[in-house]
Amino acid sequence: MEENFGPQETQDTNRIIPVNIEEQMKTAYIDYSMSVIVGRALPDVRDGFKPVHRRILFAMNELGLNANKPYKKSARVVGEVLGKYHPHGDGSVYFAMVRLAQDWNMRYTLVDGQGNFGNQDGDDPAAMRYTEVRLAKLGEHMLDDIEKDTVDFQLNFDDSEKEPSILPTRIPQLLVNGSSGIAVGMATNMMPHNLSEVIDGCIAYIDNREITIDELMEHVKAPDFPTGGIIYGMEGVKAGMHTGRGRVVVRGQLTVETKPSGREQIIITAVPYQVNRDSLTNRIGELVNEKVIEGVAHVNNESNNKEGTRIVLDLKRDGVANVVINQLYKHTELQTSFGINNVAIVKGRPRTLNLKDLISEFVEFRHEVVTRRTQYELREAEKRAHILQGYLIALDHLDEVIALIRASATPDVAREALINAGWGLDEIQARAILELRLQRLTGMEREKIKEEYDQLMTLIADLRDILGNEGRRYEIIKTELTEIKDKYGDKRKSEITYLDNEVSIKDLIKEEDVVITISHLGYIKRTPADEFRSQRRGGRGVLGGKTRDEDYIEHLFVASTHHTLLFFTEKGRCYWLNVYQIPEGEKTSKGRAIQNLIQLIPGDKVRAILDVKDLKDEEFVSGHNIVLCTKKGVIKKTALVDFSRPRTTGVNAITVIEGDELLEARMTDGNSEIMMAVKSGRAIRFSEKSVRPTGRGAIGVGGIEVDDAKDEVVGMICVNPETDASKTVLVVSEKGFGKRTAFDEYRFTNRGGKGVKTISVTEKTGNLVGMLAVSQTEDLMITCKSGVTIRMKVANISELGRATQGVKLIRIDEGDEIAAITQLDEEEIQVEIMEGETPAVEGSSETPGDATPPAENASEEEQPPVA
């Protein structure tokens, strides 16, 4: 037995190769890790896809599931992907495809889904046999020109099919939709961005290859999440843009509303990216029960797919909204941080990329795609032109060709005869001539062949020029990117909030004039000033803000984005806010609750706003005062320096007695004259020097006598006689009547008196609602409680005596009233007048500007209409 097995043992021993187990494990694990890194977990920097997503879109394209075609069952697509390209679990493919269709996960969806694809509350999608899919329109652009040899193809897992190694995307998908994945020894977590901003950044890079990351950030400002939210602070974002690693803090969006019972509600309208709404609601409930969050009576998730996110927190009577909001940010996922880790595959290797790297890699890939596409189109055009050239040769020798073909025994003989006939035909042309249909020999068809050949030669020359001119290729890239932006670009969903310690914020903010709008219920926004059109006096007006039925626009204020606003409330508090911190909104949008921006005490509301260029300018601050007045006629003067140190909780600006409210605030230089007007139509004029300066906590002194319980102050102006000599007093009544009057018509008196008549108040005019000091170069903006806004030139408003009732400035619907008036500097805000846009004043056939100034004390009925 031993002798029989001896030789066999020796043979087996020779076949065994001793291996160091440590080395073997190291080699095997490195191979595995590289497979995971390159082939599964990390996206390619060029198209921003991992292999599974690339295969899903390619399979859908092969199935003809374009955006204009019917949907197909998801199971059909998953089967195609599994059977041909991606031999993994069907669940992994299906859930990857589902994510491409979820608009709360993808900033721009690439798959158009029909059926139950889950929701933000964490509910799973329906099974793949129930749902249906097709490519979204933007998803089609991931595959544009794939048939034109723009990318390399590779064999699939069993060498039976070919699949693209990359998709020839027209969109910078990696930056736009981001990516996340865990590989072996590394991970990636890339944030989504706004398509319009990213394309602007790509175009800026093409125009200037030496552009800095800070300059690129003027275009690509910050991540832009599909679920909105507020990016809280920019330091981490800036680090991510510069180094590829950073941290972005995202807060949910919320508003504070008051119920008819007087209790407040906190309504969460957006949660941070990838936060589960049900989990957030349950967590808030647990913290309320554990007394970690106090002041909340009830919390409920009222979100749905139609109206979006709505989580309602009912507060107790003693609950303070700002305190609860801060507790929510501190203890729940309403404030979440995301680690930016921009790792992607570049030329087969993982790399950490900054913003410029990501953009440059995409642009260079697009350049390669455009070059390969042009080369393909040139080859195809030259092939076709070559055949057409053969047709033309054959047509020039038509009789000989026909005779030659008739004399040939077989097609092969005929082909050889055509090649050897001496006309310069080759085998390809000879085959094409033999396949030519007889109808192409007619005169009209011959012309078509000649015309097609000429067009092809022009195209060939153009394609060769593109290949020989790098500048043209990059212009094509810019044009195609601009087309994508125009078609699919949208506004940011995520707001950006800067922290107080980020001192270089103003460098990132474009300085421009904006209109600050505050509604009666306390919603604030900033809007580019040129969105408001100038119209003729007496015009119908345009919508100035979308508000709820019981709300209307109360304040309109023009300021620079680099300035600071001082907000004065009816209870006498003062708060500070940088203009750029106010959320931007369209002219027709509601805006954001001001309680979310400044810590107003419950029941208080903003009454006056002051625009200060720079609170750190000591010379300016020390040379100016703030003059405040109340509805009961109290006036008070305090040095601006007392308001030069902002506090988040605000400060007391004036002590308001019970039954009174702060009405107006003005900034003066110490040499002004003050005018105050009351609802009943009286006004008083006195010197600022007669109001002694007092500290912030003082009550103030009497400015005008208000003896009627129904009467109250409606406006105050402060004018320097030297610098404002050209200004006039503008008064407007609640039913749309107004006029301008010279200052000199108001006699100088001591403060505290009754004053003199400033407008003749009748049932037709309604009570006085406002007073402004205006110059001829300014425009007047009037807002009604219904939200209708009209803008007109001050110079077109009649200058009349102070005892008249004025002219009609705006037609007002029954039951509507003027809510706010403000002036705009026409030189700073250039807006064209829309000639003929609105009719002239009611009952008049005059055109604006034709009328002559009326007699000084003429009544409104007697004077000609003036626009």
Side-chain angles (χ1 to χ4, degrees):
M1 295 283 290
E2 291 177 4
E3 292 177 358
N4 291 337
F5 281 94
Q8 182 68 40
E9 285 180 359
T10 305
Q11 187 178 358
D12 290 343
T13 304
N14 293 337
R15 290 174 58 191
I16 295 171
I17 303 171
V19 175
N20 185 315
I21 190 168
E22 183 181 340
E23 292 297 325
Q24 180 62 28
M25 295 224 18
K26 187 185 295 184
T27 304
Y29 198 74
I30 287 173
D31 290 344
Y32 163 72
S33 65
M34 287 307 297
S35 173
V36 171
I37 289 167
V38 177
R40 189 189 304 175
L42 298 186
D44 193 290
V45 72
R46 295 168 292 177
D47 66 358
F49 273 157
K50 302 173 188 176
V52 64
H53 303 111
R54 190 177 299 121
R55 288 163 175 167
I56 288 168
L57 261 64
F58 179 66
M60 292 176 75
N61 187 62
E62 291 294 288
L63 288 170
L65 292 180
N66 296 330
N68 58 350
K69 299 290 176 62
Y71 295 91
K72 274 193 179 175
K73 287 290 184 184
S74 299
R76 176 74 178 84
V77 177
V78 171
E80 185 82 1
V81 174
L82 290 181
K84 289 186 176 180
Y85 312 114
H86 198 74
H88 294 269
D90 58 355
S92 64
V93 175
Y94 180 53
F95 287 117
M97 183 173 70
V98 163
R99 192 177 186 279
L100 294 177
Q102 293 176 332
D103 58 10
W104 62 92
N105 272 323
M106 300 289 287
R107 181 61 179 84
Y108 300 89
T109 56
L110 303 176
V111 170
D112 180 10
Q114 181 171 265
N116 176 13
F117 276 77
N119 59 32
Q120 237 180 304
D121 297 326
D123 295 336
D124 290 331
M128 69 179 81
R129 60 183 177 274
Y130 299 119
T131 59
E132 298 177 334
V133 291
R134 64 184 178 189
L135 284 169
K137 287 185 178 179
L138 194 63
E140 288 183 359
H141 292 295
M142 295 292 299
L143 297 136
D144 280 348
D145 306 317
I146 195 168
E147 74 284 354
K148 294 184 178 180
D149 193 32
T150 49
V151 293
D152 293 330
F153 277 70
Q154 61 193 21
L155 292 170
N156 68 341
F157 60 90
D158 63 358
D159 295 352
S160 62
E161 300 278 346
K162 283 197 169 184
E163 62 174 320
S165 60
I166 202 77
L167 295 185
T169 174
R170 280 197 187 188
I171 58 174
Q173 207 283 132
L174 187 57
L175 266 169
V176 163
N177 276 322
S179 183
S180 64
I182 300 172
V184 177
M186 64 183 66
T188 184
N189 199 36
M190 305 183 71
M191 301 294 104
H193 294 79
N194 183 272
L195 178 64
S196 299
E197 291 182 0
V198 172
I199 287 178
D200 287 342
C202 292
I203 292 172
Y205 170 78
I206 292 171
D207 291 337
N208 175 20
R209 303 302 170 80
E210 304 302 319
I211 191 170
T212 65
I213 293 174
D214 286 330
E215 289 170 335
L216 280 174
M217 284 185 69
E218 293 176 12
H219 304 283
V220 188
K221 298 177 178 65
D224 188 24
F225 298 101
T227 52
I230 302 164
I231 293 171
Y232 187 64
M234 283 292 290
E235 281 301 315
V237 173
K238 197 171 181 180
M241 297 288 195
H242 279 264
T243 67
R245 293 181 183 273
R247 180 172 167 271
V248 54
V249 178
V250 183
R251 287 181 164 184
Q253 290 170 309
L254 42 77
T255 60
V256 179
E257 295 184 2
T258 304
K259 296 197 293 185
S261 63
R263 292 194 184 187
E264 289 186 318
Q265 282 184 323
I266 297 173
I267 299 174
I268 300 171
T269 56
V271 298
Y273 185 47
Q274 295 182 337
V275 168
N276 185 312
R277 294 183 303 209
D278 271 349
S279 298
L280 175 63
T281 306
N282 294 336
R283 180 58 181 158
I284 293 171
E286 291 171 4
L287 292 171
V288 170
N289 292 334
E290 294 167 4
K291 307 291 186 186
V292 176
I293 296 178
E294 296 183 346
V296 177
H298 183 256
V299 57
N300 188 37
N301 182 10
E302 300 177 5
S303 308
N304 58 54
N305 291 336
K306 188 175 181 181
E307 297 178 5
T309 299
R310 181 180 169 87
I311 300 173
V312 180
L313 285 76
D314 293 314
L315 301 190
K316 297 177 181 177
R317 288 197 179 279
D318 59 348
V320 180
N322 278 320
V323 173
V324 175
I325 289 168
N326 287 331
Q327 289 175 335
L328 290 173
Y329 286 144
K330 182 177 181 181
H331 298 292
T332 73
E333 286 187 302
L334 198 61
Q335 175 173 306
T336 307
S337 63
F338 294 92
I340 299 172
N341 189 22
N342 296 339
V343 178
I345 302 297
V346 182
K347 296 180 177 62
R349 291 172 171 243
R351 263 185 61 195
T352 302
L353 305 157
N354 60 34
L355 175 63
K356 187 174 179 179
D357 294 335
L358 289 165
I359 288 176
S360 64
E361 290 291 342
F362 169 74
V363 169
E364 295 314 312
F365 174 60
R366 275 306 297 167
H367 181 257
E368 180 188 339
V369 168
V370 169
T371 303
R372 290 182 61 163
R373 181 183 68 197
T374 308
Q375 289 169 343
Y376 173 85
E377 290 172 348
L378 178 60
R379 286 196 303 272
E380 294 300 308
E382 287 175 338
K383 285 179 188 176
R384 180 63 181 163
H386 185 61
I387 290 172
L388 291 176
Q389 189 178 30
Y391 287 169
L392 292 173
I393 292 171
L395 291 171
D396 288 341
H397 303 85
L398 186 56
D399 294 337
E400 297 98 311
V401 168
I402 292 172
L404 189 150
I405 293 172
R406 289 184 65 185
S408 301
T410 64
D412 290 340
V413 172
R415 187 178 69 249
E416 290 299 324
L418 286 171
I419 294 170
N420 298 322
W423 300 321
L425 296 172
D426 60 19
E427 184 172 347
I428 294 172
Q429 292 171 322
R431 286 181 185 278
I433 290 168
L434 291 172
E435 293 168 2
L436 193 67
R437 297 174 65 182
L438 289 175
Q439 72 174 34
R440 302 301 300 270
L441 303 180
T442 62
M444 187 177 292
E445 290 294 320
R446 292 178 67 178
E447 285 301 315
K448 285 184 180 178
I449 291 171
K450 182 71 171 71
E451 184 181 342
E452 184 184 355
Y453 178 76
D454 292 341
Q455 289 175 351
L456 273 174
M457 295 311 293
T458 303
L459 175 62
I460 288 169
D462 186 55
L463 293 172
R464 284 174 175 164
D465 181 63
I466 291 171
L467 290 174
N469 186 339
E470 187 182 77
R472 278 202 67 188
R473 295 197 292 275
Y474 281 108
E475 283 301 316
I476 290 170
I477 295 170
K478 286 167 62 176
T479 302
E480 291 176 349
L481 285 172
T482 303
E483 288 172 0
I484 294 291
K485 176 188 171 184
D486 293 342
K487 198 169 182 180
Y488 304 102
D490 58 4
K491 293 193 174 181
R492 288 188 63 85
K493 289 187 176 182
S494 299
E495 299 175 11
I496 299 172
T497 299
Y498 298 90
L499 304 183
D500 292 337
N501 59 356
E502 293 174 351
V503 292
S504 60
I505 298 166
K506 287 185 179 179
D507 298 335
L508 303 174
I509 303 297
K510 177 184 176 184
E511 184 165 10
E512 60 181 350
D513 280 332
V514 291
V515 175
I516 309 299
T517 310
I518 303 181
S519 75
H520 179 68
L521 292 181
Y523 290 93
I524 187 171
K525 66 182 178 187
R526 61 182 166 98
T527 310
D530 57 8
E531 279 200 26
F532 290 86
R533 297 198 300 266
S534 187
Q535 291 180 279
R536 295 179 174 183
R537 178 177 68 77
R540 184 66 185 83
V542 294
L543 195 65
K546 188 178 293 182
T547 59
R548 300 193 335 216
D549 291 341
E550 69 273 18
D551 201 6
Y552 57 87
I553 293 172
E554 195 168 76
H555 298 279
L556 280 168
F557 193 87
V558 181
S560 165
T561 48
H562 281 202
H563 290 186
T564 302
L565 297 185
L566 271 61
F567 293 85
F568 294 88
T569 69
E570 61 184 24
K571 292 186 178 180
R573 301 284 294 174
C574 173
Y575 299 87
W576 293 261
L577 193 64
N578 294 315
V579 173
Y580 60 76
Q581 292 176 306
I582 298 171
E584 187 171 355
E586 296 179 354
K587 187 175 63 177
T588 55
S589 65
K590 184 173 73 171
R592 189 165 165 211
I594 199 167
Q595 294 100 315
N596 298 340
L597 302 176
I598 55 180
Q599 297 182 19
L600 291 179
I601 59 176
D604 204 0
K605 65 173 294 185
V606 171
R607 278 293 182 188
I609 317 166
L610 285 182
D611 176 18
V612 182
K613 185 174 182 180
D614 189 358
L615 282 172
K616 296 180 180 178
D617 185 341
E618 294 183 7
E619 184 179 349
F620 177 84
V621 169
S622 61
H624 286 79
N625 305 310
I626 290 179
V627 176
L628 308 171
C629 82
T630 72
K631 287 188 174 181
K632 295 299 181 184
V634 173
I635 192 159
K636 174 177 181 286
K637 181 172 72 174
T638 304
L640 178 60
V641 70
D642 288 357
F643 297 94
S644 62
R645 289 176 291 278
R647 298 182 197 170
T648 55
T649 55
V651 296
N652 201 36
I654 181 175
T655 299
V656 179
I657 61 173
E658 189 174 350
D660 198 2
E661 293 177 1
L662 178 69
L663 173 73
E664 192 61 87
R666 300 284 179 186
M667 193 159 55
T668 67
D669 59 4
N671 301 308
S672 296
E673 293 177 1
I674 299 172
M675 286 188 66
M676 300 170 69
V678 292
K679 187 193 292 184
S680 58
R682 293 183 288 112
I684 191 170
R685 174 187 174 195
F686 56 88
S687 171
E688 178 191 346
K689 290 184 169 62
S690 67
V691 184
R692 71 179 190 277
T694 54
R696 284 191 286 103
I699 295 177
V701 295
I704 187 171
E705 188 176 321
V706 182
D707 48 9
D708 187 344
K710 294 182 180 178
D711 205 5
E712 62 183 30
V713 177
V714 294
M716 174 187 72
I717 56 178
C718 299
V719 179
N720 188 313
E722 295 181 6
T723 58
D724 301 322
S726 62
K727 290 194 173 184
T728 52
V729 179
L730 171 72
V731 289
V732 178
S733 71
E734 62 189 4
K735 292 188 178 178
F737 286 78
K739 62 176 179 178
R740 293 186 295 129
T741 306
F743 272 96
D744 293 340
E745 291 211 17
Y746 297 87
R747 67 176 183 268
F748 218 75
T749 63
N750 293 324
R751 63 170 178 80
K754 285 183 175 292
V756 296
K757 182 181 283 191
T758 184
I759 190 172
S760 180
V761 172
T762 65
E763 187 176 342
K764 183 178 180 180
T765 64
N767 289 320
L768 189 64
V769 293
M771 167 192 271
L772 295 172
V774 296
S775 63
Q776 296 250 27
T777 61
E778 291 177 326
D779 283 7
L780 174 68
M781 192 176 288
I782 300 175
T783 304
C784 298
K785 291 183 179 179
S786 62
V788 170
T789 298
I790 190 170
R791 178 173 174 173
M792 65 190 71
K793 292 183 178 300
V794 165
N796 290 342
I797 300 174
S798 305
E799 187 169 338
L800 306 172
R802 62 176 176 78
T804 60
Q805 67 181 29
V807 296
K808 196 152 197 173
L809 303 180
I810 180 173
R811 295 197 298 275
I812 296 178
D813 292 335
E814 188 71 29
D816 199 5
E817 291 179 359
I818 290 179
I821 60 172
T822 191
Q823 68 244 58
L824 304 173
D825 192 328
E826 187 184 32
E827 294 178 357
E828 292 179 4
I829 308 161
Q830 295 290 339
V831 181
E832 292 183 7
I833 302 174
M834 308 298 288
E835 289 295 344
E837 183 178 11
T838 57
V841 184
E842 282 182 300
S844 162
S845 60
E846 301 277 355
T847 55
D850 290 342
T852 54
E856 185 177 41
N857 291 314
S859 69
E860 191 269 348
E861 288 80 11
E862 295 169 341
Q863 61 185 332
V866 178

